[in-house]
């Protein structure tokens, strides 16, 4: 049977689609490969990602959501269409009801761009939107319906968002464009500076996942890395340790910690005391970085827990949120409010 309701996590790194009763049915990188001659789509998702850094000049491999907003509208739409079609079929007569998450605090123009892209891509009008921290909290099974403070920190590819939620509403939130991608960039820069080795984007991410840690590890992990020697220009292999990665990413992690602290400082006292009792819940791929919970707990003095399946929370939450449409609508900023906030 075709799914009637789907939740979509349109992430900067990964797109996930959740269908009630079936679970996560799509989980692919947000990458599109295009033929430069006529801008036709060559590949989407994992297939496109495999081409990154390995294509002739006639093809461009693009991450259309890079900084947590729609950087390239038409390509985002093509990507969404591809994934929606895969779930509901290309020739469906009944369009599915769709809930897409958007970062908290995006402007009304950006909200409209996401909604338009999802409608153009085959979602029933109107496509519904849910603020990402709220979806993350619902997906992490935090009791967001109660009048108590719950804090969720989502560390994705393009953005880190920290929010305190009570009764389906976001009370305080802050977001910063420092997350997984920035950690990868920091690793690339560090390896170049320290070892004169030029590495690609994928290699930096692989190192972060394989041996990265937010605080020094004992014993350390090591990994062989291949790249191009900056001086000789030839391929070279070096051994990198987890302490290299920790050193490379420490400034970015400090920024993430300060965002979390700043949200805590702005949280009204009753809610803050709930957060101290219940702890902060981490979601997003960044929650998988070794000891990120230890670092955040140390820097905030609040206990930190990692959600179960942190990468899936937002998509699950978006799907589940379709069942609470009225209360979710209440939590969205009105167009006027967003306009005020963005000027
Ligand atoms: P988005 O919501 O922006 O699509 P995700 O929540 O899917 O982002 O998380 C993707 C990010 O998480 C990427 O930057 C990826 O490198 C990072 N990530 C995934 N697994 C790990 C891991 N085990 N350790 C560190 N970072 C990870
Ligand atoms: Mg995300």
């Amino acid at each position: 049977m075709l799914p009637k309701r789907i939740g979509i996590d349109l992430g900067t790194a990964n797109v996930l689609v959740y269908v009630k009763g079936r679970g996560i049915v799509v989980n692919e990188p947000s990458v599109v490969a295009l033929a430069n001659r006529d801008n036709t789509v060559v590949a989407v998702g994992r297939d496109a990602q495999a081409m990154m850094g390995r294509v002739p000049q006639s093809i461009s491999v693009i991450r259309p959501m890079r900084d947590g907003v729609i950087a390239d509208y038409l390509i985002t739409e093509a990507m969404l269409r591809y994934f929606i079609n895969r779930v509901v079929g290309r020739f469906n007569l009944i369009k599915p009801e769709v809930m897409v998450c958007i970062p908290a605090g995006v402007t009304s123009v950006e909200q409209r761009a996401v909604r338009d892209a999802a409608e153009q891509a085959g979602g029933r009008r109107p496509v519904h939107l849910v603020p990402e921290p709220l979806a993350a909290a619902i997906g992490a099974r935090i009791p967001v319906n109660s009048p108590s403070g719950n804090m969720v920190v989502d560390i994705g590819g393009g953005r880190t968002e920290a929010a305190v939620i009570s009764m389906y509403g976001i009370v305080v939130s802050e977001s910063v464009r420092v997350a997984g991608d920035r950690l990868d960039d920091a690793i690339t820069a560090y390896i170049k500076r320290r070892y004169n080795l030029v590495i690609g984007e994928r290699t930096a991410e692989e190192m972060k996942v394989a041996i990265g840690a937010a605080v020094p590890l004992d014993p350390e992990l090591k990994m062989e890395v291949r790249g191009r020697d900056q001086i000789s220009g030839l391929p070279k292999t070096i051994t990198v340790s987890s302490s290299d990665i920790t050193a490379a990413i420490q400034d970015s992690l400090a920024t993430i910690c300060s965002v979390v602290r700043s949200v805590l400082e702005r949280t009204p006292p009753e809610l803050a005391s709930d957060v101290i009792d219940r702890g902060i819940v981490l979601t997003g791929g960044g929650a998988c970085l070794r000891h990120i919970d230890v670092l955040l707990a140390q820097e905030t003095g609040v206990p930190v827990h990692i959600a179960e399946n942190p990468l899936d929370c937002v998509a699950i939450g978006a799907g589940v949120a379709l069942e609470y449409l009225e209360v979710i609508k209440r939590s969205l900023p009105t167009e006027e409010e967003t306009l005020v906030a963005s000027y």
Side-chain angles (χ1 to χ4, degrees):
M1 211 183 66
L2 288 177
K4 291 196 225 43
R5 291 175 154 188
I6 61 180
I8 301 180
D9 171 5
L10 186 58
T12 53
N14 297 296
V15 178
L16 281 80
V17 180
Y18 169 86
V19 176
K20 193 183 172 189
R22 282 214 249 150
I24 304 284
V25 293
V26 169
N27 181 358
E28 299 237 14
S30 325
V31 183
V32 179
L34 293 172
N36 290 332
R37 204 174 49 148
D38 50 5
N39 274 339
T40 48
V41 174
V42 175
V44 180
R46 228 172 295 287
D47 295 342
Q49 192 188 41
M51 298 176 185
M52 262 170 113
R54 295 199 172 94
V55 283
Q57 283 190 349
S58 58
I59 293 177
S60 306
V61 183
I62 291 168
R63 287 183 50 197
M65 304 283 304
R66 198 156 194 123
D67 288 320
V69 290
I70 294 192
D72 192 309
Y73 178 80
L74 287 174
I75 301 174
T76 302
E77 187 196 309
M79 182 172 77
L80 262 179
R81 182 188 304 280
Y82 174 87
F83 290 130
I84 292 179
N85 280 345
R86 210 161 84 187
V87 176
V88 298
R90 192 183 287 252
F91 302 108
N92 59 312
L93 292 174
I94 304 166
K95 292 185 169 182
E97 208 171 349
V98 175
M99 175 74 88
V100 188
C101 66
I102 47 161
V106 300
T107 62
S108 58
V109 176
E110 289 166 328
Q111 278 187 36
R112 210 169 302 139
V114 174
R115 179 175 276 138
D116 287 352
E119 288 174 351
Q120 289 299 323
R124 187 191 308 170
R125 284 165 206 271
V127 159
H128 308 288
L129 303 177
V130 56
E132 207 160 6
L134 185 55
I138 295 173
R141 286 191 245 144
I142 296 172
V144 288
N145 56 346
S146 64
S148 61
N150 295 284
M151 184 162 183
V152 46
V153 176
D154 181 275
I155 308 174
R159 277 182 196 246
T160 296
E161 291 189 88
V164 172
I165 296 165
S166 172
M167 295 177 71
Y168 290 111
I170 292 175
V171 184
V172 186
S173 79
E174 214 164 293
S175 116
V176 62
R177 289 185 183 184
V178 176
D181 291 340
R182 196 61 84 78
L183 301 185
D184 301 347
D185 294 346
I187 293 169
T188 308
Y190 179 94
I191 296 296
K192 193 160 160 188
R193 205 167 56 233
R194 169 122 199 239
Y195 297 104
N196 280 318
L197 191 77
V198 181
I199 56 170
E201 205 173 300
R202 298 271 328 258
T203 306
E205 187 188 7
E206 278 162 24
M207 289 162 75
K208 174 183 70 180
V209 172
I211 61 170
V215 296
L217 294 179
D218 185 24
E220 286 204 34
L221 297 171
K222 290 192 187 304
M223 178 181 174
E224 288 206 333
V225 177
R226 260 175 284 170
R228 181 166 50 82
D229 189 285
Q230 223 185 348
I231 296 156
S232 72
L234 296 173
K236 189 171 90 171
T237 304
I238 59 165
T239 302
V240 175
S241 69
S242 48
S243 59
D244 282 318
I245 309 293
T246 306
I249 62 179
Q250 66 175 0
D251 289 350
S252 306
L253 293 179
T255 306
I256 292 175
C257 290
S258 70
V259 166
V260 176
R261 266 203 308 267
S262 140
V263 169
L264 280 168
E265 283 161 13
R266 287 166 45 217
T267 302
E270 304 288 352
L271 295 178
S273 105
D274 297 338
V275 171
I276 293 167
D277 282 345
R278 294 160 179 241
I280 297 169
V281 175
L282 291 185
T283 64
C288 304
L289 180 70
R290 289 176 191 79
H291 298 331
I292 181 75
D293 51 339
V294 175
L295 179 71
L296 272 170
Q298 193 179 303
E299 293 295 313
T300 57
V302 177
V304 178
H305 316 290
I306 296 166
E308 208 178 301
N309 306 320
L311 283 145
D312 300 348
C313 292
V314 171
I316 296 173
V320 172
L322 272 170
E323 285 159 43
Y324 306 98
L325 273 182
E326 285 313 309
V327 274
I328 300 294
K329 266 191 206 138
R330 204 173 64 199
S331 75
L332 278 171
T334 62
E335 303 235 318
E336 259 164 66
E337 266 170 18
T338 358
L339 281 174
V340 171
S342 63
Y343 285 108

